[in-house]
């Protein structure tokens, strides 16, 4: 773990109320232009924001670092507009999601493969799905599997990558995800479902399913 | 009129994410499970969908921010604060 620079007051572990109080104080000091106070806020939230950036900028670490830095720079410049009764985490996630969206919205090259109408065809012999529990051999291929997941994620349009990242990686609720992305809960559920089905199909090839 | 019979494969597909996230109401869940009791391929499909979610989750496990990126950001924040100070 990095040591906190001199003069920094990191947010201490304590009750939720104490932590919220400490964060409010840091926000107010940041609003007054205190960069050190803002750095403490960066420390408290940077891992989550970097996880989001890394997943959405799948396989492009330099872009993920850009999004991470731009998120906090934008937040610092706009902290005066942050409403004190709002959640700082949600606000930071929204900034990061917008930056990802702006970065990838023009890249329409990724074809989004049409989804299945049915999980399997009746009659004419069912498609065989291999058991996807990791065998010891597959566990040894964990790194390879991770790279394949990154590649599959990268082939999804950014709107889907954002939803999958917030729901299945950061484990946020449908409501929190909708708030961050400025879309309805129904749209979150629909993108999550379609995105998962698409990835399931891609992983099927990887895990050795028979072709339909 | 509310549907009560077991679902067909096609109807079930639309509900799968909500099912594995445990977001379905009890009645829909019962209809879906009634279908699963008689449809082993759909049971397998659900297993692989669950596995998909696990693989995505595993691949996205948090890693620390690279020290260089963190250091760059601190330098940019200091420069930005100095600029904002000048404007005040």
């Amino acid at each position: 773990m990095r040591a906190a620079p001199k003069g920094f007051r990191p947010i201490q572990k304590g009750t939720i109320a104490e932590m919220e109080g400490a964060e409010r104080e840091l926000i107010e000091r940041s609003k007054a232009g205190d960069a050190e106070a803002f750095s403490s806020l960066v420390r408290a939230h940077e891992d989550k924001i970097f996880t989001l950036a890394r997943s959405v900028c799948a396989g492009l670490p330099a872009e993920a670092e850009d999004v991470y830095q731009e998120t906090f720079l934008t937040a610092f410049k706009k902290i005066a507009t942050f409403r004190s009764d709002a959640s700082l985490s949600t606000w930071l996630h929204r900034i990061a999601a917008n930056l990802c969206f702006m970065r990838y919205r023009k890249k329409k090259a990724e074809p989004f493969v049409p989804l299945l109408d049915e999980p399997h065809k009746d009659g004419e012999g069912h498609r065989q799905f291999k058991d996807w529990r990791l065998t010891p051999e597959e566990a040894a291929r964990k790194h390879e599997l991770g790279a394949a997941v990154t590649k599959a994620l990268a082939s999804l349009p950014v709107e889907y990558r954002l939803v999958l990242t917030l729901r299945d990686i950061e484990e946020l609720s449908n409501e929190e995800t909708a708030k961050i992305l400025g879309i309805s809960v129904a749209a979150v559920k629909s993108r999550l479902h379609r995105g998962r089905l698409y990835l399931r199909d891609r992983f099927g090839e990887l895990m050795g399913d028979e072709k339909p | 009129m509310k549907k009560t019979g077991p679902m067909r494969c096609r109807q079930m597909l639309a509900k799968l994410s909500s099912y594995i996230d445990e977001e379905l109401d009890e009645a829909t869940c019962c209809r879906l499970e009634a279908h699963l009791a008689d449809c082993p391929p759909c049971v397998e499909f659900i297993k692989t969908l669950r596995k998909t979610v696990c693989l995505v989750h595993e691949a996205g496990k948090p890693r620390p921010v690279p020290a260089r990126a963190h250091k760059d950001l601190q330098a940019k924040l200091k420069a930005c604060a100095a600029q904002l100070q000048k404007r005040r």
Side-chain angles (χ1 to χ4, degrees), chain A residues 105-161:
Chain A
R105 67 179 174 168
K106 285 179 187 162
K107 294 184 182 173
K108 295 213 182 236
E110 314 119 339
F112 194 34
V113 175
L115 288 162
L116 309 161
D117 289 329
E118 298 187 50
H120 59 89
K121 298 279 178 211
D122 285 327
E124 55 181 20
H126 291 144
R127 180 174 178 184
Q128 294 300 304
F129 299 112
K130 194 171 171 257
D131 185 346
W132 282 14
R133 273 174 299 190
L134 295 189
T135 61
E137 191 187 292
E138 286 162 348
R141 289 166 56 210
K142 211 172 172 185
H143 183 73
E144 189 192 331
L145 287 177
V149 173
T150 301
K151 198 176 163 193
L153 266 176
S155 67
L156 274 170
V158 65
E159 304 91 289
Y160 291 81
R161 258 183 282 161

Side-chain angles (χ1 to χ4, degrees), chain A residues 168-180:
Chain A
D168 286 344
I169 293 176
E170 297 218 6
E171 296 183 303
L172 299 183
S173 67
N174 287 322
E175 289 72 20
E176 287 169 305
T177 304
K179 207 170 169 187
I180 287 168

Side-chain angles (χ1 to χ4, degrees), chain A residues 39 46 54 69 168 174, chain B residues 23 57 61 70 74 76:
Chain A
S39 288
E46 67 180 353
R54 197 165 57 86
Q69 291 190 1
D168 286 344
N174 287 322
Chain B
E23 290 170 353
H57 187 72
K61 271 193 174 167
H70 179 86
Q74 295 305 319
K76 286 176 185 171

Side-chain angles (χ1 to χ4, degrees), chain A:
Chain A
M1 208 174 135
R2 276 184 296 272
K6 227 179 167 184
F8 274 55
R9 267 182 57 194
I11 298 174
Q12 300 292 327
K13 281 189 179 169
T15 65
I16 292 175
E18 282 168 353
M19 284 167 70
E20 281 177 355
E23 185 165 281
R24 296 269 162 246
E25 190 196 322
L26 289 169
I27 292 169
E28 290 313 314
R29 283 171 52 198
S30 300
K31 283 184 175 184
D34 183 339
E36 287 191 359
F38 190 77
S39 288
S40 293
L41 294 173
V42 170
R43 267 172 212 289
H45 294 274
E46 67 180 353
D47 286 349
K48 290 244 171 205
I49 296 299
F50 186 64
T51 298
L52 169 73
R54 197 165 57 86
S55 171
V56 180
C57 304
L60 300 168
E63 295 218 3
E65 287 181 18
D66 280 354
V67 168
Y68 150 77
Q69 291 190 1
E70 272 184 61
T71 299
F72 286 107
L73 281 169
T74 305
F76 185 56
K77 286 175 194 163
K78 294 189 175 176
I79 190 90
T81 67
F82 175 72
R83 282 193 353 255
S84 299
D85 59 336
S87 153
L88 182 67
S89 174
T90 302
W91 189 62
L92 291 171
H93 274 79
R94 194 178 301 146
I95 294 172
N98 274 337
L99 288 168
C100 290
F101 185 73
M102 299 297 278
R103 200 168 272 252
Y104 290 105
R105 67 179 174 168
K106 285 179 187 162
K107 294 184 182 173
K108 295 213 182 236
E110 314 119 339
F112 194 34
V113 175
L115 288 162
L116 309 161
D117 289 329
E118 298 187 50
H120 59 89
K121 298 279 178 211
D122 285 327
E124 55 181 20
H126 291 144
R127 180 174 178 184
Q128 294 300 304
F129 299 112
K130 194 171 171 257
D131 185 346
W132 282 14
R133 273 174 299 190
L134 295 189
T135 61
E137 191 187 292
E138 286 162 348
R141 289 166 56 210
K142 211 172 172 185
H143 183 73
E144 189 192 331
L145 287 177
V149 173
T150 301
K151 198 176 163 193
L153 266 176
S155 67
L156 274 170
V158 65
E159 304 91 289
Y160 291 81
R161 258 183 282 161
L162 281 165
V163 170
L164 280 158
T165 301
L166 294 171
R167 288 285 284 112
D168 286 344
I169 293 176
E170 297 218 6
E171 296 183 303
L172 299 183
S173 67
N174 287 322
E175 289 72 20
E176 287 169 305
T177 304
K179 207 170 169 187
I180 287 168
L181 300 179
I183 58 177
S184 66
V185 168
V188 169
K189 288 184 178 183
S190 165
R191 287 180 196 177
L192 179 68
H193 183 55
R194 285 169 57 86
R196 282 175 177 174
L197 287 183
Y198 171 76
L199 291 180
R200 197 215 69 86
D201 214 41
R202 294 286 301 264
F203 297 161
E205 292 165 27
L206 179 78
M207 301 299 276
D209 281 355
E210 287 175 9
K211 285 276 177 194

